[in-house]
């Protein structure tokens, strides 16, 4: 793995003999002590989990040592702290990542090997905290890594779900969901803080009163109150001493039992109250689109927002005391609209609880918050029924009405007589039922609003948030997403990391622009051969895992063509399937036809209630079953659905890829981040001009990217002018044959009904324009097939992809947020 350059290593600090001793001997001793005194085990009978736990505690000691130093440094400096509010953090396993960031990964692995100790099985033992659905949650995790690496004081705030994203099993080709019991063997990375808790109330009514200064005030008389308890996870930066916190909230009953109810004999009523409270943080909603109107989801959002803001106010009071300076202490980023209630809650805390004037409170609120939008799908914009709001958060609804009243006054002044605009911009949607529009609340209550890729930001300005952009253009900016090279290169792809580091040193790990220096080796044949060797080994490693998890044997010398991401019609996994069936048809027509051997690999979870997405999984598996067994295919095509795609097994997938499928309908994918992870690991992309694909292509060069399909503009005008999928269908015999092959029941044991809903949707609606893009996709896939035959050229393209992907490090993204939005600077931490 990475060679640890002495210069970059923080000093081997820590008092000898103490738990912060980072020497091998010191860590060995701490490890033995944790087996005995933390796990309470005799080493001879320690289980694999005991060993993993002891190892994790040994590493955590190192993190906490650095966290203490970070806090001490913050106490000495008057700095602004970034507070990243997100309903999801998809962290992935901690152990190996922390070893890398501590700079001791290779040393620990080498020593373990010498002592005959299989450290890989310890890494395997860790259950990942799957506290997120997909891109948005994983982005939050990458940003925490970069914040710490850039030595920015920061706190992540979120929800400690007892059950994260479900585990996926494939049974008879269908997705089956299992509860994610990530906490069942304990979580050594978190520190429970039973003494850090806040009360959060729900329901009831409000009541006006006059305060002692004769001012109009409102008090909220809630119906019920729960307690939020803090659980902290230390987040260490890469080879720096900054160790920030991720603070997740767990809901508990205020008292274990309501004693009054208990005493009058209502034992079950009392227990109900406890169960009711704890329900709030029981489970992550497994949808990658919002579920509108689910009360528990709104409770989750308010619960974590309220705990987090109360915590920030508490911390601020400890350090400063003057609330008017709150926004100088905290820069709060809203990760999508899930925490947008913060705007109303901060106003409530300042105005009702701290008796601040509305205008002063509003000024603080707007200077504190910034909002990131992550979607372009209009149906994915969150809105909550006003009735539900009134029942659950009556005071917040009043505050939102007041914010709206003042805001719409401004709109009316700016655009006199433009009633349509007022209706469009209102925080309340009254176009059919009444709803609170969370994106509008976030826009109005923030000083900065950003999209996550250039194209996405442009479409926000032109379309989704056009009125807001027109009225306050200065708020809008773009912050193209990035991913952390620590997890997605160093940890996932040790072979490539070693090869790159041998050529250009290891600075690129925290200065990703340095990767450009690889370009000078692109003409070096020996280097290209080493590059291919790394890819070969990664493919062999993944092939073994595929065999273990699916029973399917794949050929590592075939092209690995991979699409892993949440299942969604706009992401068009089924377009990929149509192409596979087209190739299959060609083979059936001409068994000798010349095709470059390919292994098509899919992975991703479908929302449990999303019928079409689940049917697409079934289709992939059905096609796989037939294609993989057909003797005519004779190994030229293989199709695999790799089950339970998550952060833990992603490390085997990205590095093994030759061709990355980023084929969403243009204008639908806000950014995508998987596209970055693949390209950084030397895969070439076949993709549309959507999300960050546009910028990836710009960076790596059009000649190193397989582009196909309509542009966002073409998509939108086609839809506007009445798109007819049948026109494309009639004009394309190959497409007809593909559809006919599926319709005939060839992949469903003669069942012509099974895939009918999917085919009908395509033939009669095709909202994501698969038919319109089919011909172009198939043609570019033909070019891919040709290109892969020339391995020398392919390798050049692969090297250039990696060399030119520096922009897509989350370090770059976080630097931009720091400079343009949060106005914060690094605060180095020393261990002295
Ligand atoms: C994703 N959104 C975007 N939402 O789809 C993707 O293009 C982008 O790269 C990524 O955010 C990061 O910016 C996304 O993952 C969710 O999962 C939400 C979960 C909660 C319900 C609503 C969707």
């Amino acid at each position: 793995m990475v060679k640890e350059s002495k210069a970059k290593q923080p000093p081997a600090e820590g008092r000898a003999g103490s738990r912060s001793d980072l020497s091998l001997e010191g860590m060995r001793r701490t490890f033995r002590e944790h087996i005995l005194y933390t796990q309470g085990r005799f080493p001879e009978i320690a289980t694999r989990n005991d060993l993993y736990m002891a190892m994790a505690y040994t590493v955590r000691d190192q993190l906490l040592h650095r966290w203490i130093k970070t806090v001490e440094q913050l106490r000495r400096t008057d700095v602004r702290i970034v507070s990243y509010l997100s309903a999801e953090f998809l962290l992935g396993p901690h152990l190996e990542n922390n070893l890398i960031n501590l700079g001791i990964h290779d040393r620990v692995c080498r020593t373990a090997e010498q002592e005959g100790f299989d450290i890989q099985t310890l890494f395997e033992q860790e259950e990942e905290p799957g506290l997120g659905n997909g891109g948005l949650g994983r982005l939050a995790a990458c940003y925490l890594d970069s914040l710490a690496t850039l030595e920015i004081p920061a706190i992540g705030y979120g929800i400690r779900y007892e059950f994260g994203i479900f585990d996926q099993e494939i049974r008879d080709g269908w997705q089956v969901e299992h509860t994610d019991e990530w906490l069942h063997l304990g979580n050594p990375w978190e520190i429970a803080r039973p003494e850090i808790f806040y009360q959060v109330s729900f329901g009831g009514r409000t009541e006006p009163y006059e305060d002692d200064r004769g001012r109009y005030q409102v008090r909220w008389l809630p119906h019920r109150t729960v307690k939020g308890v803090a659980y902290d996870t230390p987040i260490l930066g890469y080879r720096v001493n900054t160790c920030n916190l991720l603070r997740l909230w767990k809901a508990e009953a205020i008292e274990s039992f309501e004693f009054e109810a208990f005493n009058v004999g209502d034992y079950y009523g009392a227990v109900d109250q406890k169960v009711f409270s704890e329900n709030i943080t029981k489970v992550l909603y497994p949808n990658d689109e919002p579920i509108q109107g689910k009360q528990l989801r709104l409770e989750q959002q308010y619960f974590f927002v309220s705990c987090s803001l109360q915590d920030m106010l508490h911390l601020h009071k400890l350090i400063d005391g003057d609330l008017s300076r709150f926004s100088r202490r905290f820069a709060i980023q809203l990760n999508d609209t899930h925490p947008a209630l913060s705007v109303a809650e901060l106003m409530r805390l300042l105005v009702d609880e701290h008796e601040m004037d509305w205008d002063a409170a509003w000024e603080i609120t707007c200077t504190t918050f910034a909002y990131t939008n992550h979607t372009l799908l209009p149906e994915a914009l969150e809105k909550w029924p006003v009735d539900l709001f009134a029942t659950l958060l009556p005071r917040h609804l009043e505050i939102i009405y007041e914010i709206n009243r003042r805001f719409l006054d401004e709109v009316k002044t700016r655009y006199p007589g433009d009633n349509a605009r007022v209706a469009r911009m209102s925080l309340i949607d009254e176009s059919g039922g009444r709803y609170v529009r969370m994106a509008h609340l976030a826009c109005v209550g923030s000083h900065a609003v950003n999209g996550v890729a250039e194209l996405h930001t442009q479409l926000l300005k032109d379309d989704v948030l056009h009125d807001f952009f027109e009225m306050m253009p200065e708020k809008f900016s773009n912050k193209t997403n990035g991913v952390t090279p620590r997890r997605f290169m160093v940890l996932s792809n040790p072979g490539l990391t070693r090869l790159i580091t041998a050529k250009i040193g290891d600075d690129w790990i925290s200065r990703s622009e340095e990767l450009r220096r690889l370009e000078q080796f692109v003409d070096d044949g020996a280097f290209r051969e080493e590059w291919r060797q790394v890819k070969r080994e990664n493919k062999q490693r993944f092939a073994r895992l595929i065999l273990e998890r699916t029973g399917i044997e794949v050929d590592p010398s075939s092209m690995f063509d991979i699409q892993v991401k949440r299942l969604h019609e706009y992401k068009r996994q089924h377009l990929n399937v149509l192409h596979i069936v087209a190739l299959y048809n060609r083979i059936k027509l001409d068994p000798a036809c010349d095709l470059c051997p390919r292994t098509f690999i899919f992975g991703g979870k479908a929302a449990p209630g999303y019928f079409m997405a689940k049917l697409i999984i079934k289709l992939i598996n059905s096609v796989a079953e037939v294609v993989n067994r057909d003797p005519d295919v004779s190994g030229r095509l293989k199709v695999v659905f790799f089950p339970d795609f998550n952060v833990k097994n992603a490390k085997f997938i990205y590095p093994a890829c030759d061709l990355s499928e980023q084929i969403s309908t243009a204008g639908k994918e806000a950014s995508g981040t998987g596209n970055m992870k693949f390209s950084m690991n030397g895969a070439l992309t076949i993709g549309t001009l959507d999300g960050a694909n546009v910028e990836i292509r710009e960076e790596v060069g059009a000649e190193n990217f397989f582009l196909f399909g309509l542009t966002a503009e073409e998509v939108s005008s086609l839809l506007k002018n009445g798109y007819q999928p049948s026109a494309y269908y009639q004009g394309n015999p190959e497409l007809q044959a593909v559809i006919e092959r599926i319709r005939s029941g060839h992949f469903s044991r003669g069942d012509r009904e099974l895939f009918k809903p999917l085919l009908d949707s395509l033939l009669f609606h095709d909202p994501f324009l698969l038919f319109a893009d089919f011909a172009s996709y198939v043609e570019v896939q033909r070019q891919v097939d040709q290109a892969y035959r020339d391995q020398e050229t392919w390798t050049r393209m692969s090297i250039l992809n990696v060399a030119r992907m520096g922009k897509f490090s989350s370090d770059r993204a976080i630097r931009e947020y720091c400079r343009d939005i949060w106005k914060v600077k690094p605060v180095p931490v020393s261990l002295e």
Side-chain angles (χ1 to χ4, degrees):
M1 256 221 176
V2 197
K3 262 192 64 214
E4 288 138 16
S5 63
K6 278 277 178 300
K8 294 243 15 216
Q9 189 93 324
E13 78 314 311
R15 249 180 324 115
S18 87
R19 283 205 197 168
S20 56
D21 186 346
L22 195 55
S23 72
L24 267 181
E25 206 28 65
M27 288 192 54
R28 235 189 234 118
R29 193 194 48 254
T30 311
F31 176 64
R32 277 196 302 267
E33 288 184 2
H34 278 303
I35 295 179
L36 279 164
Y37 302 118
T38 309
Q39 290 305 101
R41 278 281 192 201
F42 292 103
E44 313 80 68
I45 58 160
T47 63
R48 184 193 294 180
N49 193 55
D50 288 324
L51 298 176
Y52 158 69
M53 295 287 272
M55 184 77 187
Y57 283 119
T58 305
V59 171
R60 194 185 79 174
D61 290 339
Q62 296 294 334
L63 302 193
L64 289 182
H65 179 60
R66 286 156 182 76
W67 169 70
I68 291 165
K69 299 291 174 187
T70 304
V71 172
E72 283 173 357
Q73 181 62 43
L74 289 185
R75 284 220 185 104
R76 285 193 288 268
T77 15
D78 181 36
V79 288
R80 198 171 196 207
I81 300 167
V82 173
S83 173
Y84 200 84
L85 257 63
S86 179
E88 305 191 356
F89 287 92
L90 194 43
L91 296 168
H94 294 274
L95 178 56
E96 203 176 358
N97 198 245
N98 282 325
L99 290 176
I100 288 170
N101 285 10
L102 278 167
I104 59 172
H105 179 274
D106 292 9
R107 190 166 11 129
V108 167
C109 290
R110 250 189 336 262
T111 313
E113 200 178 319
Q114 282 159 11
E115 296 179 6
F117 185 87
D118 185 0
I119 199 159
Q120 293 303 328
T121 66
L122 292 201
F123 294 154
E124 264 304 298
Q125 180 64 25
E126 181 169 357
E127 286 263 6
E128 77 170 83
L131 310 185
N133 271 287
L136 170 142
R138 180 56 231 178
L139 185 79
C142 285
Y143 283 1
L144 291 185
D145 178 82
S146 286
L147 280 161
T149 298
L150 295 172
E151 304 177 297
I152 305 295
I155 313 182
Y157 280 112
I159 301 174
R160 183 180 177 276
Y161 301 104
E162 190 176 330
F163 302 108
I165 186 71
F166 62 85
D167 295 334
Q168 180 194 54
E169 188 203 343
I170 301 299
R171 210 187 286 160
D172 186 29
W174 294 97
Q175 166 174 297
V176 175
E177 300 95 17
H178 297 278
T179 10
D180 158 54
E181 297 191 355
W182 71 291
L183 291 167
H184 73 305
L185 293 174
N187 173 9
W189 301 101
E190 71 184 2
I191 298 151
R193 305 254 188 225
E195 291 178 307
I196 302 180
F197 63 87
Y198 300 95
Q199 298 204 349
V200 181
S201 298
F202 298 94
R205 61 189 175 83
T206 64
E207 179 180 90
Y209 70 99
E210 214 172 79
D211 70 8
D212 37 15
R213 287 192 278 159
R215 295 182 312 174
Y216 173 88
Q217 295 283 17
V218 177
R219 76 166 65 90
W220 177 19
L221 304 163
H223 170 63
R224 66 186 171 101
T225 301
V226 304
K227 185 166 101 170
V229 182
Y231 283 72
D232 289 344
T233 303
I235 306 288
L236 178 69
Y238 174 72
R239 293 199 188 178
V240 291
N241 299 315
T242 299
C243 186
N244 291 326
L245 281 190
L246 170 59
R247 177 161 284 181
L248 301 179
W249 302 102
K250 172 178 192 283
E252 289 186 1
I254 292 199
E255 301 277 355
S256 283
F257 298 98
E258 277 192 357
F259 283 105
E260 211 180 317
F262 190 65
N263 289 335
V264 296
D266 185 13
Y267 180 80
Y268 290 102
V271 175
D272 270 358
Q273 179 57 36
K274 178 173 162 63
V275 171
F276 194 60
S277 306
E278 292 182 351
N279 260 347
I280 294 180
T281 52
K282 254 310 147 210
V283 59
L284 167 80
Y285 277 98
N287 300 308
D288 58 353
E289 245 184 57
I291 6 38
Q292 255 115 38
K294 277 262 183 285
Q295 174 163 336
L296 185 61
R297 172 76 175 165
L298 187 58
E299 287 174 10
Q300 288 185 337
Q301 296 186 352
Y302 177 57
F303 167 79
F304 100 91
V305 151
S306 180
C307 289
S308 310
L309 285 170
Q310 290 186 62
D311 194 45
M312 284 178 256
L313 287 171
H314 171 76
L315 292 172
H316 178 68
K317 267 198 271 173
L318 282 183
I319 322 172
D320 187 308
D322 184 347
L323 268 187
S324 72
R325 287 196 289 258
F326 181 71
S327 66
R328 273 192 252 172
R329 179 67 54 198
F330 285 103
I332 307 182
Q333 192 67 31
L334 305 174
N335 196 25
D336 214 300
T337 53
H338 322 133
L341 264 170
S342 300
V343 172
E345 173 67 352
L346 183 58
M347 286 301 286
R348 187 190 69 83
L349 291 166
L350 296 177
V351 173
D352 294 359
E353 309 265 312
H354 294 93
E355 302 188 340
M356 194 179 273
D357 288 341
W358 181 279
D359 291 327
W362 185 244
E363 169 70 20
I364 293 174
T365 299
C366 295
T367 42
T368 302
F369 290 113
Y371 157 57
T372 306
N373 172 290
H374 295 266
T375 187
L376 284 164
L377 303 180
E379 65 273 23
L381 291 177
E382 271 196 307
K383 48 182 194 173
W384 291 103
V386 164
D387 290 346
L388 174 59
F389 235 96
T391 316
L392 198 67
L393 302 166
R395 180 57 185 141
H396 296 79
L397 185 60
E398 289 174 1
I399 291 171
I400 289 169
Y401 283 154
E402 181 60 15
I403 295 171
N404 199 32
R405 188 185 66 76
R406 291 168 181 245
F407 172 63
L408 293 183
D409 277 350
E410 282 176 49
V411 177
K412 289 172 197 159
T413 314
R414 269 292 291 279
Y415 308 95
D418 193 346
N419 294 334
R421 184 186 296 264
V422 172
R424 287 199 308 270
M425 296 185 82
S426 172
L427 305 197
I428 309 298
D429 178 355
E430 307 190 71
S431 61
R434 299 185 75 225
Y435 295 92
V436 181
R437 293 165 162 157
M438 302 309 278
H440 294 201
L441 177 62
C443 275
V444 174
S446 298
H447 67 280
V449 177
N450 75 281
V452 290
E454 294 283 355
L455 174 67
H456 171 227
T457 302
Q458 195 54 50
L459 294 171
L460 283 181
K461 293 192 210 172
D462 292 348
D463 189 20
V464 186
L465 298 174
H466 176 69
D467 293 318
F468 291 86
F469 173 63
E470 212 166 55
M471 183 165 159
M472 33 212 181
E474 69 291 343
K475 280 194 187 182
F476 285 74
S477 76
N478 174 60
K479 298 287 167 282
T480 298
N481 283 343
V483 302
T484 171
R486 273 71 68 183
R487 182 173 293 274
F488 291 105
M489 296 181 77
V490 180
L491 185 154
S492 305
N493 202 339
L496 191 68
T497 300
R498 221 178 293 121
L499 177 57
I500 296 174
T501 301
K503 289 289 178 194
I504 64 170
D506 67 0
D507 281 359
W508 62 273
I509 298 171
S510 45
R511 294 168 37 86
S512 55
E513 331 73 75
E514 293 283 314
L515 285 168
R516 287 249 173 218
R517 293 174 45 212
L518 283 175
E519 281 195 37
Q520 61 187 298
F521 303 105
V522 76
D523 294 323
D524 174 344
F527 178 66
R528 288 200 304 271
E529 181 45 40
E530 287 182 274
W531 192 268
R532 278 192 294 274
Q533 183 58 23
V534 167
K535 185 61 83 183
R536 240 187 320 268
E537 283 166 14
N538 291 337
K539 288 167 76 175
Q540 285 159 356
R541 178 175 78 149
F542 186 34
R544 288 193 293 274
L545 192 67
I546 291 175
L547 182 60
E548 183 191 311
R549 300 281 160 91
T550 67
I552 301 173
E553 209 167 318
V554 301
D555 175 6
S557 71
S558 65
M559 182 203 308
F560 278 16
D561 173 332
I562 309 187
Q563 187 173 20
V564 288
K565 50 182 78 247
R566 287 297 291 252
L567 260 292
H568 206 294
E569 287 163 280
Y570 85 78
K571 295 177 188 280
R572 303 201 293 192
Q573 281 92 351
H574 45 340
L575 177 59
N576 191 337
V577 177
L578 296 185
H579 170 241
I580 298 172
V581 176
L583 296 183
Y584 177 70
N585 280 347
R586 280 186 212 163
I587 293 177
K588 294 308 275 185
L589 272 176
D590 170 16
C593 80
D594 184 23
L595 275 184
C596 173
R598 272 206 220 198
T599 303
F600 294 90
I601 300 159
F602 295 83
K605 296 174 186 178
Y610 189 172
F611 167 74
M612 217 50 118
K614 290 181 134 176
L615 193 56
I616 294 172
I617 293 182
K618 175 66 176 170
L619 176 64
I620 295 168
N621 284 306
S622 303
V623 170
E625 209 176 86
V626 171
V627 168
N628 295 350
R629 278 215 228 114
D630 191 321
D632 286 349
V633 173
S634 67
R636 278 174 296 175
L637 304 181
K638 271 275 162 77
V639 181
V640 175
F641 190 93
F642 187 84
D644 204 34
F645 174 55
N646 58 19
V647 180
K648 190 171 173 179
N649 56 44
K651 85 166 183 181
F652 299 102
I653 300 178
Y654 296 117
C657 180
D658 295 305
L659 185 69
S660 153
E661 299 270 353
Q662 306 301 333
I663 60 177
S664 53
T665 316
K668 301 292 176 195
E669 188 71 270
S671 160
T673 43
N675 46 5
M676 302 169 187
K677 294 163 195 169
F678 278 116
S679 176
M680 279 179 174
N681 281 284
L684 306 190
T685 304
I686 180 162
T688 47
L689 282 177
D690 200 16
N693 293 355
V694 178
E695 290 156 79
I696 292 176
R697 178 165 170 270
E698 253 164 42
E699 289 292 303
V700 305
E703 65 287 7
N704 300 307
F705 187 105
F706 296 99
L707 178 70
F708 78 97
L710 300 172
T711 63
E713 220 168 317
E714 288 164 346
V715 165
S716 112
S717 76
L718 190 51
L719 287 173
K720 222 180 304 155
N721 300 327
Y723 168 58
Q724 296 280 355
S726 54
Y728 292 86
Y729 183 73
Q730 297 307 338
N732 190 328
E734 183 157 49
L735 176 58
Q736 287 169 23
V738 166
I739 297 297
E740 188 43 40
R741 178 74 76 179
I742 301 173
R743 191 183 5 223
S744 72
H746 188 84
F747 301 115
S748 43
R749 300 180 187 151
D751 182 346
R752 300 169 64 97
E753 292 303 304
L754 183 59
F755 298 117
K756 191 164 184 299
L758 191 55
L759 298 181
D760 283 352
S761 163
L762 291 176
L763 286 162
F764 305 119
H765 309 286
D766 193 17
F768 298 104
L769 286 76
L770 279 79
F771 284 10
D773 275 347
F774 177 80
S776 156
Y777 181 55
V778 169
E779 165 51 29
V780 175
Q781 285 286 19
R782 211 187 281 272
Q783 294 167 21
V784 170
D785 176 291
Q786 287 303 315
Y788 196 71
R789 293 164 197 247
D790 178 358
Q791 279 292 297
E792 291 298 349
T793 308
W794 187 279
T795 310
R796 279 172 206 273
M797 292 164 78
S798 166
I799 295 169
L800 291 177
N801 263 260
V802 176
R804 297 173 179 176
M805 280 298 288
K807 166 173 171 187
F808 302 97
S809 162
S810 44
D811 298 345
R812 185 272 313 147
I814 287 298
R815 276 194 200 97
E816 290 179 5
Y817 279 96
C818 289
R819 184 193 63 203
D820 303 339
I821 299 180
W822 303 329
K823 318 281 182 204
V824 294
K825 291 239 148 63
V827 177
V829 174
S830 126
L831 293 181
E832 304 309 318

